[in-house]
Amino acid sequence: MAVVYFSVFINEFVCLSAGGSELESDFNWDEYLEENGVLAVPHHAFKHVDRSLQTGLAPGMMLEVCVRSEPDQPYWVATIITACGQLLLLRYEGYHDDRRADFWSDIMTSDLHPLGWGRQQGRPMRPPDGVREKHGDWEALLEEALAQGGSAPAHLLQGVRGGPADLFPMGWCVELQDSVDPGVAWGAQVEDNIGGRLCLRYAGTEGLTQSLARRWVFYLDPLLHPPGWAEENSCSLTPPAVLRGLRSEAEWEEVRKTIRKPKEEAFNRDFFKDRPVLSPHCFSEGMKLEAVNPAAPFNISPATVTKVLSEQYFLVQMDSLQGDSEGAGPGSSFLCHHGSTDIFPVQWSLKNGVPLSPPPGYQGQDFDWAYYLKQCGAEGAPESCFPVEQSDHDFVEFMRLEAVNPISPKYIHMATVTRVRGQHIWLGLEGLKQTLPDVITHVDSLDIFPVSWCESHGYPLQHPSKATGQSCLVRERGNRNEKGNGKYSCPKIFFNHLCFSGPYLNKGRIAELPQSIGPGNCVLVLKEVLTLLISSAYKPSRVLRELQQDPELRGHGQGETLKAKYKGKSYRATVGISRTADQVAEFCRKTCVRLECCPNLITPHMVREHCSENCSLFTKTKYTHYYGKKKTKRIGRPPGGHTNLDISTKEGSRRKKRKPLSVCKTRLFTSVDSTPACSPLGSGEEEEDLDEDYSLSEEDSGPEQQGDSEVLERKSQPASPRPTPTEPRPREGPRRQCRKKKQLTSYSDDENQPPSPTSGRVEVQEKLHLDSSPLGWSITDVTHFIRTTDCSPLARIFRDQEIDGQALLLLSLPTVQECMGLKLGPAIKLCHLIERVKLAFYQHFAG
């Protein structure tokens, strides 16, 4: 994508920066978040940004690809198995469910074409050898595939880098539907494209410097259309009202002719085919409602449905009691449909605890809807006219993001979430010369972006200077202290990252939390602390259950609803939270005890180096034994007899999960197969399924059980002779045999299948031969070696953990389980392979 960096933009941004000072070019989001102890809104919360990074190619689509293994390089049909950015995992037609021959292909460099291209171009069509061996009549297979359809669109295979956002290069023409009258549209030209955010110049305004001549929209804006859309949909080509006075009608007619005959560039109309269809609305003229004025989205005020334009569209105007049109001003009317996010039913503000601004000219201090409706002789729009509001999103108060300035849309500012109500958020913009009220927007708005979005697209971000960098924190504390005076004021609650995190909380995620929360209202601060703890758990639903089950915590104070997300499911429970300051310290201690972590993990005081509990001196097992809930020595039962939220699942698995490589990769990765050739067993969705099973881990075992693990580790070494399963073990009781039998059946997915009747003895593995010393292996060498063994599904873990040859030789069973997040069965299998590598190293290279 060609990104043009206008120098005039830089000058304008410098003028608008906080306090008139120059923007600091070395601003770094990571440093800012760490220094101020705040969090960023997760990247996956911005659905439009995720969509802009997708190529549009989906699993199941078919295409034609060059078979480079053949001398004459023919073409053959292949199916997309996995789409990961511009990389595609393909499978030749004829292999069916056999994924051994799957291969990766880069859209930018590979020879990919839609179905039928080979015949149109007169290219030979022939499958690779593997398909010809399986299918003698491969010509019929080709005809069947071509007749089946489902081809990948041609424009998506042309090597467009960066996703669909780059389908709008500079200079291309589009049509913009009017924001007030849906039957009117006007032409525009793409002047700049910043990651899918388009700067459009209206047709006929060339050479004019007025800001009204330009308009910024995201490429997914429903009012954006391809050239010729107005004529095809019987809409009139009329310039916007603010531009009509700039030229005579004759001049506009000449411009209109150029719009009707656009340039001959091949515009990709396929992009606009999948636009969502608007549902019919049930609004009628005269209905009253609450609305946010899109031209100045700083407050919620009464509004009226003034005109029903069609089954899909209606017009809403902000109310004014200063005459029929006085005080309304331009921009007070706006177009709406059934799913519009700027309108609410009457009393919405009251129910959600946000102020409602009376219309201009309203007499009285407090606005009353009942009196107002009676005064106007109108009725409120029924709640059934509005879509059901969902509150399932990832925006939390005081998180940071980047947002468009609604008054001057060419500027993007650092922003803070100051309030969350349902699907709507209030944003405080930073880096302003003059402070604006908080901006009200929807969580699915196309004008908000994740942190570092501007940096990744080379666009300047408005942010406060260092002298005013604490303004947002002052506002946070002010908001938190609004109701936090006297005995209801909670002090700072510190997350002491060095303290023991227990079996339920992920220490790595705890380390990413802010240093402290508060001060402020007790309920608000403690609720946020518990929410962050839940989000830092291996199993958030389990921690939520622990907090809910504790009768001491539940009866300790005011009940608050907390939520947790795990494996795509949402859980909620009522948890008791202390209301007064004198209960805070005891509440924190009881919470820590319940979660079996150090009592100083969350406290009103900071633990700097040495914890008073000396929690760092204990292993997880010993710490849990002395300070946590008392465990029985029985294996296979979780402590206290608790069950998980899902009755059918066993509890107790607390292995650590590896973090995804990056947000973009994990969000863009889709697959037809449940286990593509490149994906390791025990990761992704399969890893979550396995996570439900109980496994013996360090957190669950006592000293006696740890001894069992060591015995199993020694027995996994190839140098130790061991009898076959048919030979008796005099010193092994029935309990040990039963346990071992259960463990040995959990090595991998293949071994979890019912055993074959003929598998009565253990096969002796061949001696391992190494071409080079493992001490000199790089990360790539180790990954390649693992892929050649029966532990190949774990190769990605070795790559992600950056394990080289020296690290490989140092791995042991506890290390593999703790650091690589493997269950006991796969861990023993891997350690057995590592012992074979060590043996080969000692025999051939140690001397």
Side-chain angles (χ1 to χ4, degrees):
M1 177 182 65
V3 178
V4 176
Y5 198 139
F6 291 105
S7 60
V8 63
F9 283 180
I10 300 177
N11 297 332
E12 290 174 344
F13 271 90
V14 168
C15 294
L16 196 68
S17 61
S21 61
E22 292 187 0
L23 286 173
E24 299 158 20
S25 59
D26 60 346
F27 176 78
N28 184 286
W29 262 116
D30 293 333
E31 294 178 359
Y32 174 87
L33 295 174
E34 182 177 359
E35 290 175 1
N36 294 283
V38 292
L39 299 176
V41 179
H43 282 237
H44 62 260
F46 303 88
K47 301 174 184 177
H48 61 294
V49 176
D50 275 353
R51 185 173 173 183
S52 70
L53 299 174
Q54 296 173 357
T55 61
L57 296 171
M61 290 183 176
M62 304 181 71
L63 47 81
E64 293 180 3
V65 59
C66 180
V67 185
R68 300 191 182 278
S69 59
E70 298 292 321
D72 57 343
Q73 295 191 350
Y75 288 80
W76 188 245
V77 177
T79 301
I80 299 176
I81 302 300
T82 296
C84 185
Q86 67 188 49
L87 297 178
L88 304 177
L89 183 65
L90 302 179
R91 181 178 300 167
Y92 284 121
E93 183 70 16
Y95 278 112
H96 302 299
D97 295 331
D98 187 355
R99 56 190 181 94
R100 291 177 295 177
D102 292 359
F103 61 98
W104 287 98
S105 182
D106 190 336
I107 303 174
M108 303 299 299
T109 58
S110 301
D111 196 1
L112 306 177
H113 303 279
L115 293 182
W117 179 88
R119 287 187 172 178
Q120 294 175 0
Q121 302 296 325
R123 302 296 179 90
M125 300 290 295
R126 189 173 67 256
D129 291 336
V131 176
R132 294 203 298 269
E133 293 174 0
K134 289 176 173 285
H135 304 274
D137 188 13
W138 55 266
E139 292 89 351
L141 185 66
L142 174 62
E143 296 300 329
E144 181 181 352
L146 295 177
Q148 182 179 354
S151 173
H155 70 277
L156 298 180
L157 301 174
Q158 295 173 357
V160 177
R161 186 181 299 275
D166 288 332
L167 297 176
F168 298 86
M170 289 181 291
W172 276 33
C173 296
V174 294
E175 289 183 3
L176 269 176
Q177 199 172 358
D178 193 85
S179 59
V180 176
D181 188 351
V184 172
W186 190 245
Q189 191 175 48
V190 178
E191 202 171 63
D192 202 357
N193 184 345
I194 309 296
R197 192 164 182 262
L198 309 178
C199 177
L200 304 178
R201 175 179 283 276
Y202 283 111
T205 62
E206 294 77 6
L208 300 178
T209 58
Q210 283 88 343
S211 59
L212 298 177
R214 292 186 180 92
R215 181 172 172 184
W216 286 87
V217 299
F218 201 71
Y219 80 102
L220 294 173
D221 194 305
L223 299 181
L224 184 68
H225 303 284
W229 176 87
E231 187 173 356
E232 294 173 2
N233 290 271
S234 302
C235 294
S236 63
L237 280 174
T238 306
V242 294
L243 300 177
R244 292 171 193 168
L246 300 178
R247 297 183 181 274
S248 64
E249 183 57 34
E251 291 174 328
W252 284 123
E253 183 59 33
E254 293 297 323
V255 177
R256 194 175 287 112
K257 292 179 182 178
T258 63
I259 298 175
R260 291 188 177 127
K261 295 180 180 179
K263 297 179 181 179
E264 306 227 342
E265 291 126 335
F267 197 91
N268 295 312
R269 289 177 171 267
D270 291 339
F271 170 77
F272 294 92
K273 289 182 178 179
D274 298 329
R275 290 289 183 90
V277 179
L278 297 178
S279 303
H281 66 81
C282 55
F283 288 89
S284 58
E285 292 185 11
M287 284 184 174
K288 295 287 185 179
L289 42 80
E290 297 180 3
V292 176
N293 188 350
F298 306 121
N299 50 55
I300 302 176
S301 300
T304 305
V305 178
T306 57
K307 189 175 183 180
V308 175
L309 303 171
S310 64
E311 292 183 354
Q312 286 76 32
Y313 293 104
F314 57 95
L315 201 63
V316 171
Q317 184 175 24
M318 305 303 296
D319 282 1
S320 174
L321 302 181
Q322 297 176 345
D324 293 339
S325 59
E326 289 183 20
S332 61
S333 296
F334 53 95
L335 192 66
C336 291
H337 53 82
H338 172 73
S340 292
T341 59
D342 294 325
I343 55 176
F344 316 90
V346 297
Q347 305 289 359
W348 185 91
S349 298
L350 180 63
K351 294 177 181 178
N352 287 273
V354 296
L356 178 70
S357 299
Y362 180 81
Q363 300 296 326
Q365 295 181 349
D366 298 325
F367 181 83
D368 180 74
W369 260 115
Y371 172 77
Y372 183 68
L373 291 175
K374 183 178 180 180
Q375 181 185 16
C376 298
E379 61 180 12
E383 291 196 15
S384 58
C385 293
F386 301 85
V388 178
E389 188 173 72
Q390 304 292 333
S391 58
D392 189 14
H393 56 76
D394 296 286
F395 290 80
V396 180
E397 288 183 9
F398 315 118
M399 282 185 171
R400 301 298 195 268
L401 67 156
E402 298 176 2
V404 174
N405 186 330
I407 302 301
S408 188
K410 59 186 175 181
Y411 300 133
I412 299 181
H413 295 255
M414 173 198 295
T416 302
V417 180
T418 60
R419 180 183 291 168
V420 179
R421 293 294 185 271
Q423 291 269 295
H424 287 79
I425 55 177
W426 277 248
L427 301 179
L429 302 185
E430 302 292 337
L432 292 163
K433 189 175 182 180
Q434 295 181 348
T435 304
L436 285 176
D438 288 351
V439 177
I440 306 173
T441 189
H442 193 268
V443 294
D444 291 333
S445 170
L446 302 179
D447 287 333
I448 56 177
F449 304 93
V451 298
S452 300
W453 185 87
C454 285
E455 180 184 1
S456 63
H457 294 285
Y459 197 77
L461 171 70
Q462 292 300 294
H463 58 85
S465 62
K466 290 184 178 179
T468 58
Q470 299 296 322
S471 61
C472 51
L473 294 180
V474 172
R475 176 165 51 195
E476 282 181 24
R477 291 164 182 160
N479 289 339
R480 284 174 169 165
N481 280 311
E482 283 178 355
K483 298 181 181 180
N485 297 321
K487 69 174 185 176
Y488 300 106
S489 178
C490 179
K492 276 188 179 182
I493 303 298
F494 290 90
F495 291 99
N496 295 308
H497 305 150
L498 298 180
C499 289
F500 177 64
S501 57
Y504 302 124
L505 304 177
N506 187 315
K507 191 172 184 64
R509 296 176 188 168
I510 290 290
E512 296 175 356
L513 297 180
Q515 188 180 52
S516 63
I517 298 294
N521 178 268
C522 282
V523 174
L524 296 179
V525 173
L526 294 178
K527 184 177 180 180
E528 187 168 356
V529 169
L530 294 183
T531 300
L532 292 176
L533 287 179
I534 292 171
S535 65
S536 302
Y538 296 111
K539 287 185 177 181
S541 57
R542 173 63 191 273
V543 171
L544 182 62
R545 182 63 176 265
E546 291 295 328
L547 297 177
Q548 178 195 29
Q549 281 185 333
D550 190 354
E552 295 185 29
L553 292 182
R554 189 166 59 241
H556 204 281
Q558 176 176 319
E560 289 291 327
T561 300
L562 297 182
K563 299 179 182 179
K565 287 185 179 181
Y566 184 60
K567 293 186 177 180
K569 296 181 180 179
S570 297
Y571 303 84
R572 66 174 64 198
T574 301
V575 177
I577 294 181
S578 298
R579 300 185 59 190
T580 58
D582 58 342
Q583 298 175 332
V584 168
E586 181 67 12
F587 176 85
C588 292
R589 190 193 69 82
K590 287 183 177 293
T591 300
C592 292
V593 171
R594 187 62 187 170
L595 298 182
E596 300 183 36
C597 58
C598 176
N600 290 329
L601 181 66
I602 54 169
T603 60
H605 62 273
M606 180 187 297
V607 176
R608 299 192 179 276
E609 294 182 0
H610 302 290
C611 174
S612 60
E613 299 289 335
N614 293 324
C615 60
S616 60
L617 300 181
F618 294 95
T619 63
K620 292 186 177 180
T621 300
K622 292 181 179 178
Y623 187 93
T624 304
H625 176 74
Y626 288 108
Y627 292 92
K629 294 178 291 186
K630 301 300 181 184
K631 296 177 180 285
T632 61
K633 292 185 178 181
R634 184 178 179 182
I635 299 177
R637 292 285 297 175
H642 298 307
T643 59
N644 206 335
L645 295 180
D646 197 352
I647 299 177
S648 63
T649 61
K650 296 181 181 179
E651 172 202 325
S653 175
R654 292 189 285 275
R655 64 185 176 90
K656 294 186 178 180
K657 292 187 179 179
R658 295 174 289 108
K659 288 186 178 182
L661 293 178
S662 67
V663 173
C664 293
K665 289 185 180 179
T666 55
R667 293 293 295 173
L668 299 180
F669 197 92
T670 54
S671 176
V672 168
D673 286 355
S674 60
T675 56
C678 63
S679 64
L681 297 175
S683 66
E685 295 181 356
E686 291 190 356
E687 180 182 16
E688 293 178 350
D689 294 337
L690 292 174
D691 217 14
E692 294 295 335
D693 296 332
Y694 180 76
S695 65
L696 182 63
S697 63
E698 187 177 357
E699 294 88 350
D700 298 313
S701 60
E704 175 185 343
Q705 298 164 12
Q706 283 184 330
D708 292 342
S709 299
E710 294 171 0
V711 171
L712 287 173
E713 183 180 6
R714 290 196 297 270
K715 290 179 180 179
S716 68
Q717 299 178 4
S720 303
R722 57 182 180 183
T724 62
T726 58
E727 297 177 5
R729 290 182 180 269
R731 289 177 292 180
E732 189 170 16
R735 178 181 175 186
R736 178 76 59 83
Q737 292 176 352
C738 179
R739 184 189 307 148
K740 182 175 180 182
K741 181 178 179 181
K742 181 178 179 180
Q743 293 163 346
L744 293 178
T745 59
S746 61
Y747 284 179
S748 66
D749 284 355
D750 295 335
E751 295 176 46
N752 284 333
Q753 296 176 358
S756 172
T758 61
S759 58
R761 60 185 178 87
V762 178
E763 297 182 3
V764 179
Q765 294 184 335
E766 297 180 359
K767 188 176 181 180
L768 188 63
H769 297 282
L770 302 178
D771 296 332
S772 60
S773 172
L775 285 177
W777 288 358
S778 64
I779 298 172
T780 304
D781 295 333
V782 172
T783 305
H784 178 72
F785 168 73
I786 296 297
R787 284 176 178 163
T788 62
T789 68
D790 56 352
C791 293
S792 58
L794 307 177
R796 180 178 292 182
I797 303 179
F798 279 80
R799 185 193 64 190
D800 295 347
Q801 298 281 356
E802 299 182 349
I803 299 175
D804 59 10
Q806 296 184 23
L808 176 69
L809 296 177
L810 295 174
L811 291 179
S812 62
L813 182 61
T815 306
V816 166
Q817 287 186 276
E818 180 73 15
C819 300
M820 301 180 70
L822 298 181
K823 290 199 172 181
L824 185 61
I828 293 177
K829 186 174 184 180
L830 176 60
C831 288
H832 179 62
L833 172 65
I834 295 173
E835 292 300 326
R836 295 179 63 201
V837 174
K838 291 179 182 179
L839 182 61
F841 167 74
Y842 291 137
Q843 291 177 344
H844 299 287
F845 302 100

